[in-house]
Amino acid sequence: MKEKKKVLTGIKPTGEVTLGNYIGAIKQMVKLQNEYESYIFVADLHALTIPQNPKELKERIKKFIAMYIACGIDPDKSTIYIQSENEYIPAISYLLECSTTYGEASRMIQFKEKSKNNANFSVGLLTYPILMAADILYCDTDLVPVGIDQKQHVELARNIADRFNKKYGETFILPQPLTTTEGVKIKDLKDPLKKMSKSEESPTGVISMFDTKEDIIKKIMKATTDSDNIIKYDMENKPGISNLLNIATSLGNLSIPELEKKFENCGYGEFKKYVAELTSSHIENIQKKYNKLINSDELDNILNKGIKKSTKLAKEKYELMKKKLGLCRN
Ligand code: TYM
């Protein structure tokens, strides 16, 4: 019997940590770690599905770990690790691949979008959600805090686990995605119909957790909005203002209706100033903690402890799967 329920999440280091990652995943984990047994990792194997510069990737992995802790992930409450250091995860992933149909994998929205305009996409792009299923299933995760864009992948993990359990007997806990009600999908500031993403395609639309205060203020003040000057949440007709409301409610302590009331008779300039100040000071505080951490030896100790625990659990699950599948001598 498990004592505490488990939560787990990961972020892939394909660019800097963004405000979207912070609100969609990290911030939820900071809260949940008080109640659940928590696991958070850098999904560096997932980064390889698109070409990476090895030197930059190596630096980014370390920056992600320091950023998690600076954002409030507590190494005494959460197991923090680097995905590629756990060699059992790709092995589990392969066994799960054999329980997944090509049709299922190719129906994933992200796969369809990312393979659409790229004839030379890697096989890794197709198997990506199955590796994610291995990340989730190896340690009996109950809840997976993710942004809405990853919900389908968590549901696939659940389906694969369910099928495996039915065919080979109880092996996995069935995980559930957990998405916040506010700020589920932070949008690009320049194009609020698009997700705020790590890609370097939209330098003024994406807020990185490493941006300077001045840059954050500039980006928010120049965020695309409509022209009717009414601060009201309406994702369909007012995506720019709704996005800023989502950011403000996620980082401050006012709900969306409270924000609408507060800025009832104000113009967009005043509202943007408020969101810019709130966001930039929130991130500035995190950066102060990050700067203290990034060169400390503490990070290695935290990662060593994290990978030890994660590897032990993954080895146990891998052995159990092999046994169920008949991959054992005795
Ligand atoms: P990734 O790296 O694209 O994003 C990491 C997390 O941040 C969330 N997110 C957002 N949330 C709100 N608004 C946004 N604009 C935004 N952009 C990103 C994502 O939903 C995600 O929760 N495959 C995963 C990484 C992964 C993983 C896992 C996650 C690998 N294994 C196991 C959970 C469990 C990914 O690429 O996320």
Side-chain angles (χ1 to χ4, degrees), residues 22 40 94 137 141 170 192 228 230 256 294:
Y22 174 62
I40 185 163
Y94 176 74
L137 299 176
T141 306
E170 275 314 295
D228 64 8
I230 299 166
I256 288 181
I294 187 65

Side-chain angles (χ1 to χ4, degrees), residues 18-122:
T18 66
L19 182 64
N21 297 144
Y22 174 62
I23 293 174
I26 305 174
K27 208 161 165 287
Q28 294 199 71
M29 285 297 280
V30 171
K31 242 198 262 164
L32 294 164
Q33 66 183 348
N34 296 317
E35 238 184 282
Y36 293 86
E37 188 174 328
S38 304
Y39 296 79
I40 185 163
F41 61 96
V42 179
D44 54 347
L45 292 173
H46 278 100
L48 299 181
T49 50
I50 50 172
Q52 298 295 330
N53 171 319
K55 188 168 169 280
E56 285 171 15
L57 180 60
K58 185 176 169 180
E59 273 167 22
R60 236 185 272 132
I61 294 168
K62 191 173 166 204
K63 283 172 81 177
F64 267 54
I65 296 290
M67 186 47 89
Y68 285 171
I69 300 168
C71 287
I73 299 293
D74 179 346
D76 290 330
K77 294 180 184 162
S78 295
T79 301
I80 306 171
Y81 60 97
I82 297 170
Q83 181 192 35
S84 65
E85 292 185 0
N86 188 333
E87 287 156 18
Y88 291 95
I89 288 176
I92 292 174
S93 179
Y94 176 74
L95 300 182
L96 296 175
E97 277 174 30
C98 296
S99 279
T100 311
T101 64
Y102 173 79
E104 256 179 326
S106 58
R107 272 197 297 277
M108 294 294 108
I109 296 166
Q110 258 194 11
F111 169 72
K112 286 205 260 186
E113 279 172 0
K114 292 194 174 165
S115 58
K116 198 168 51 189
N117 299 320
N118 177 7
N120 293 321
F121 64 83
S122 68

Side-chain angles (χ1 to χ4, degrees), residues 211 213 216 279-289:
D211 277 348
K213 192 170 174 110
I216 297 170
T279 310
S280 60
S281 52
H282 195 99
I283 294 181
E284 197 183 28
N285 279 336
I286 291 175
Q287 287 176 354
K288 280 186 193 148
K289 294 184 195 138

Side-chain angles (χ1 to χ4, degrees), residues 13 28 31 38 42 45 54 72 116 143 148-149 173-175 191 197-198 206 224-225 256 279 308 318 326:
Q28 294 199 71
K31 242 198 262 164
S38 304
V42 179
L45 292 173
K116 198 168 51 189
L143 282 180
I148 201 106
D149 60 312
I173 296 284
L174 303 188
D191 178 358
S197 164
K198 268 177 280 198
V206 176
T224 303
T225 54
I256 288 181
T279 310
K308 196 168 162 204
Y318 181 59

Side-chain angles (χ1 to χ4, degrees), residues 8-14 18 20-25 41 43 46 83 110 128 131-132 135-136 144-150 153-154 183-187 195-198:
L8 170 142
T9 209
I11 304 179
K12 63 177 185 304
T14 44
T18 66
N21 297 144
Y22 174 62
I23 293 174
F41 61 96
H46 278 100
Q83 181 192 35
Q110 258 194 11
Y128 176 111
L131 178 61
M132 188 164 156
D135 288 331
I136 295 169
V144 189
V146 281
I148 201 106
D149 60 312
Q150 294 295 323
H153 291 162
V154 182
V184 281
K185 200 175 194 178
I186 301 301
K187 301 293 174 65
K195 179 181 98 161
M196 183 182 281
S197 164
K198 268 177 280 198

Side-chain angles (χ1 to χ4, degrees), residues 61-320:
I61 294 168
K62 191 173 166 204
K63 283 172 81 177
F64 267 54
I65 296 290
M67 186 47 89
Y68 285 171
I69 300 168
C71 287
I73 299 293
D74 179 346
D76 290 330
K77 294 180 184 162
S78 295
T79 301
I80 306 171
Y81 60 97
I82 297 170
Q83 181 192 35
S84 65
E85 292 185 0
N86 188 333
E87 287 156 18
Y88 291 95
I89 288 176
I92 292 174
S93 179
Y94 176 74
L95 300 182
L96 296 175
E97 277 174 30
C98 296
S99 279
T100 311
T101 64
Y102 173 79
E104 256 179 326
S106 58
R107 272 197 297 277
M108 294 294 108
I109 296 166
Q110 258 194 11
F111 169 72
K112 286 205 260 186
E113 279 172 0
K114 292 194 174 165
S115 58
K116 198 168 51 189
N117 299 320
N118 177 7
N120 293 321
F121 64 83
S122 68
V123 175
L125 199 64
L126 177 70
T127 55
Y128 176 111
I130 309 165
L131 178 61
M132 188 164 156
D135 288 331
I136 295 169
L137 299 176
Y138 87 87
C139 65
D140 293 330
T141 306
D142 296 283
L143 282 180
V144 189
V146 281
I148 201 106
D149 60 312
Q150 294 295 323
K151 201 169 165 220
Q152 194 191 27
H153 291 162
V154 182
E155 281 158 1
L156 176 69
R158 186 182 171 89
N159 291 341
I160 299 172
D162 191 36
R163 186 174 320 129
F164 195 99
N165 284 350
K166 287 191 173 125
K167 194 159 178 196
Y168 302 106
E170 275 314 295
T171 310
F172 299 115
I173 296 284
L174 303 188
Q176 297 256 27
L178 183 76
T179 47
T180 49
T181 43
E182 330 101 5
V184 281
K185 200 175 194 178
I186 301 301
K187 301 293 174 65
D188 187 286
L189 296 171
K190 277 282 149 206
D191 178 358
L193 297 177
K194 239 177 56 186
K195 179 181 98 161
M196 183 182 281
S197 164
K198 268 177 280 198
S199 70
E200 265 63 59
E201 286 159 27
S202 177
T204 52
V206 176
I207 293 180
S208 151
M209 296 300 286
F210 296 97
D211 277 348
T212 62
K213 192 170 174 110
E214 294 70 40
D215 279 344
I216 297 170
I217 292 174
K218 225 187 277 168
K219 287 179 188 179
I220 293 179
M221 293 307 292
K222 288 192 172 160
T224 303
T225 54
D226 51 78
S227 54
D228 64 8
N229 235 17
I230 299 166
I231 292 142
K232 182 119 199 69
Y233 192 86
D234 178 350
M235 235 343 168
E236 204 171 313
N237 300 307
K238 298 169 70 65
I241 286 296
S242 304
N243 189 35
L244 293 178
L245 281 165
N246 266 335
I247 294 173
T249 191
S250 301
L251 301 183
N253 39 29
L254 296 181
S255 67
I256 288 181
E258 283 167 342
L259 286 162
E260 286 171 344
K261 182 112 195 69
K262 181 177 164 87
F263 291 97
E264 204 168 29
N265 298 314
C266 303
Y268 285 173
E270 201 171 326
F271 174 58
K272 280 181 166 176
K273 235 182 182 165
Y274 168 83
V275 182
E277 182 48 42
L278 180 71
T279 310
S280 60
S281 52
H282 195 99
I283 294 181
E284 197 183 28
N285 279 336
I286 291 175
Q287 287 176 354
K288 280 186 193 148
K289 294 184 195 138
Y290 171 87
N291 290 333
K292 282 194 196 143
L293 273 163
I294 187 65
N295 290 317
S296 80
D297 298 335
E298 215 188 315
L299 288 185
D300 266 333
N301 296 335
I302 292 167
L303 287 173
N304 290 343
K305 193 173 129 212
I307 196 59
K308 196 168 162 204
K309 179 166 176 191
S310 161
T311 302
K312 179 175 178 287
L313 293 173
K315 183 173 190 297
E316 282 167 13
K317 190 62 86 186
Y318 181 59
E319 297 299 342
L320 176 66

